[in-house]
Structure formats: C-alpha cells, structure tokens
Amino acid sequence: MNAPLLSAAGISKTYSGASRRVAALDNASIAVMRGETLGLVGPSGSGKSTLARVLLRLIEPDAGTIDFDGADLLAQRGERLRRTRRRIQMVFQDPLAAFNPRATVASALDDPLRIHGMGGREGRQAIAAGLLERVGLDPALASRTIHEISGGQRQRVAIARAIATGPDLIVLDEAVSALDVSVRAKILELLVDLQREREIAYVFVSHDLAVVRAIAHRVAVMDAGRVVEQGSASDVVANPSSPTARALVDAVPRLAARPGNS
Ligand SMILES: Nc1ncnc2c1ncn2[C@@H]1O[C@H](COP(=O)(O)OP(=O)(O)OP(=O)(O)O)[C@@H](O)[C@H]1O
C-alpha cells in the first residue's frame, strides 16, 4: 500500500488561558492519502479547527508528529518550511476574514504567486486570469475588490488562491458552511473536479455530515480532542461504531434513511 501523503500521530494541544486550560487535542491521529478527501467531523468544540490549524503549522502542538510526503513537518523552519507551505494550502469559512476586503481580486491572487516566486509580473497576470477562469469566474472580476463580490465568488477566489501554487493538500475549514445550498453544491462540484484534475488531497472540516458524506472518501470523527472513529464515508454513515458518530448520523435523518446511497 502507498504511504499516506500526510500522517499526523499523537497530536495534543492544550490552550492555556488566564483562568482555565482547555485540552483541545488529546492524542489525535489522522492520515490522508494523495488525491483523497478526508472529512473531519465532530461536535462543536471537539478540536476540528485546532487540528486543521496544526496541519497548516498555524498552531504548534504540544506533542505528536506530522509526516508530510516523507518529511518531518514539525521540524521544518525557514526556507524549508516556506517550500512546504506552497504545497499545503487552506480555504476557511469566511473569505472576508482571510482577505483584505479592500484588496482587488487581482492582488489577492498575485500575493501567493509573488511570495513563491512564480512568474514575472506579466506572467503572474496571465496565471491569475487562468485561475479565475478555472474556478468559473469572469477574469474581468480581477479589478473588483474582495468586498465588491458575492460570498460564493469570494469562496471561488479563495479556492483559486489555494490552487495557485499547485498544492498537494488543501485544508478546508467549514469552507462551504456559509454558502446557500445551490452555491454550496456548485463549489463542492468545483472542488471534486479540481481534485480529479490535479490529484489534490483535501482535509475537509465540517460540522455537516451530509456535506462530508457528499465529498469525502474517508471520515475521521472527533470528540473531546480525540479521533474516535475513522473509516470510509459510506461505512461510517451506514454503520457508525462510536456513540459520537451515531449521534451525528442520527442528527441527519436523511442520511440514516439512505445508508445504501454511496
Ligand atoms: N484560541 C483558543 N484559546 C483557548 N481555547 C480555545 C482556542 N481555540 C479553541 N479553543 C477551545 O478548544 C476546544 C476545541 O476548539 P476547536 O475550535 O478546535 O473545535 P471545533 O471542533 O473546530 O469546534 P467548532 O465546530 O465549534 O468550530 C474548544 O473547547 C474551544 O473552546
């Protein structure tokens, strides 16, 4: 069997505030294969976002190891880490928070290309136009500000920015949760198409099991900072083995009623 693209093992993280300590991750482990989508589900506060941010090296864990494509991710610093960052991108729930709202779409796309030294100024403009087209946006949107486009368009720009550097992995944290149902379906379709085209792996964090069921090959179920169950998306939905997964499935009657739907 092939080695996973990313494998995180024994990850623990405690937040220490002035008055209390929160064990957000407690010995959590996941693995993601190249080109696959791992759905990360669990109740509110179970540690999904913290684990996503640990994978992106936005939060340093207290314990654990992360292997990314055969290298120790947590040991990487400086130029070595910068090169890896190009290969692990992110899309978050609220693109308004992720972008400077007064920046133009063109500059939002130019940033990662410039930072990673991809193309000269004109080359980057052409790449950005191609990216916009690929995510289903009119390249004429390039001159608008992030503030001036719709939520669905913003999320497409976020996806364009994420794929700009040719990543192997994109971590998506509630990336479609704020979108209405029809826009959500189109964005999920785009993500699936991009994955097929470019063999990108996704870690797809969502509180919505129905959405995860639609996009993920495998699912990891989190509770209280631990991964309590991992399996194929159809198995976890049809035969949840942990009380946490059972509760998530029961909360979506439509899913429980259609276990054979794969
Ligand atoms: N910066 C922080 N400082 C202190 N505690 C935090 C911080 N971020 C998260 N926590 C706590 O850590 C735990 C895990 O939070 P996390 O956001 O990772 O969970 P989650 O599963 O993503 O939740 P949700 O689905 O509600 O977004 C929660 O108890 C949360 O209150």
Side-chain angles (χ1 to χ4, degrees):
M1 203 178 114
N2 295 336
L5 171 67
L6 177 138
S7 125
I11 304 289
S12 294
K13 171 71 187 175
T14 296
Y15 293 107
S16 301
S19 57
R20 62 188 199 118
R21 289 160 59 81
V22 178
L25 294 175
D26 176 14
N27 204 13
S29 301
I30 56 163
V32 193
M33 305 303 289
R34 204 171 278 280
E36 115 174 316
T37 299
L38 177 72
L40 209 52
V41 296
S44 181
S46 56
K48 305 181 297 292
S49 290
T50 303
L51 183 55
R53 281 164 174 73
V54 165
L55 302 180
L56 293 161
R57 289 287 308 267
L58 298 176
I59 294 176
E60 293 297 306
D62 303 324
T65 57
I66 303 178
D67 180 295
F68 178 71
D69 201 15
D72 179 353
L73 180 65
L74 294 174
Q76 295 179 18
R77 305 274 180 273
E79 176 55 24
R80 180 77 180 85
L81 178 59
R82 207 177 65 88
R83 271 188 280 131
T84 300
R85 283 197 192 286
R86 180 171 164 165
R87 303 177 57 196
I88 309 180
Q89 293 291 318
M90 66 194 107
V91 177
F92 288 159
Q93 174 167 5
D94 180 5
L96 266 190
F99 293 117
N100 170 359
R102 283 182 299 276
T104 61
V105 168
S107 71
L109 291 180
D110 191 58
D111 284 347
L113 299 173
R114 192 172 33 77
I115 290 166
H116 293 290
M118 299 171 71
R121 180 181 275 271
E122 275 169 27
R124 293 201 306 269
Q125 273 176 11
I127 295 173
L131 288 168
L132 284 175
E133 245 171 274
R134 181 59 199 91
V135 299
L137 292 175
D138 183 344
L141 278 186
S143 59
R144 300 249 202 108
T145 67
I146 294 293
H147 180 73
E148 287 168 342
I149 59 176
S150 74
Q153 289 172 329
R154 254 176 234 139
Q155 213 51 316
R156 287 180 192 268
V157 174
I159 292 168
R161 186 164 72 165
I163 61 171
T165 57
D168 298 291
L169 173 67
I170 304 180
V171 177
L172 302 111
D173 191 353
E174 302 285 4
V176 298
S177 307
L179 304 173
D180 75 46
V181 174
S182 62
V183 177
R184 177 183 300 173
K186 296 228 169 64
I187 298 279
L188 290 174
E189 220 172 275
L190 171 64
L191 289 170
V192 169
D193 287 348
L194 289 170
Q195 179 170 63
R196 290 212 183 105
E197 216 174 272
R198 301 169 187 223
E199 223 196 350
I200 308 171
Y202 298 138
V203 171
F204 190 91
V205 176
S206 177
H207 66 279
D208 186 338
L209 193 59
V211 168
V212 168
R213 175 75 180 78
I215 192 166
H217 301 101
R218 285 188 313 113
V219 173
V221 181
M222 295 193 67
D223 199 357
R226 292 172 167 269
V227 175
V228 294
E229 180 167 348
Q230 243 183 115
S232 81
S234 47
D235 279 358
V236 170
V237 168
N239 295 305
S241 63
S242 62
T244 313
R246 162 60 56 200
L248 290 171
V249 170
D250 287 348
V252 193
R254 191 158 53 89
L255 280 179
R258 298 177 60 190
N261 182 16
S262 55

